[in-house]
Amino acid sequence: MDVDAEDGRVYLPKHLREKFGDRFELVDRGDRLVLIPVDEDPLAALREEFRDVDASVEELKQGALDEALNEAGP
């Protein structure tokens, strides 16, 4: 992976673009930056990801909150 500080661009190797696509969201985690691949059709990707989920919306929200608090640490 190359970074061009003057242009503010990140260049990913071809094998990574082929594996993950070429659209990413950049997330600032304080001590690191994380690239999250963005699907060409985000709604279709969400439907596919959650098609077998039996949890309620409230259960999903609580799980996401618990995970976020766990990642944030003490």
Side-chain angles (χ1 to χ4, degrees), residues 20-67:
F20 296 107
D22 58 4
R23 294 184 60 211
F24 295 86
E25 180 164 339
L26 184 63
V27 178
D28 181 354
R29 290 297 185 108
D31 62 336
R32 65 189 182 277
L33 296 173
V34 179
L35 290 174
I36 308 292
V38 176
D39 197 280
E40 290 297 320
D41 185 351
L43 288 177
L46 283 172
R47 287 185 190 106
E48 179 66 24
E49 181 73 25
F50 290 100
R51 68 185 156 105
D52 295 331
V53 173
D54 293 327
S56 71
V57 172
E58 288 305 316
E59 290 168 328
L60 292 172
K61 284 182 183 179
Q62 186 60 48
L65 176 60
D66 292 343
E67 185 175 337

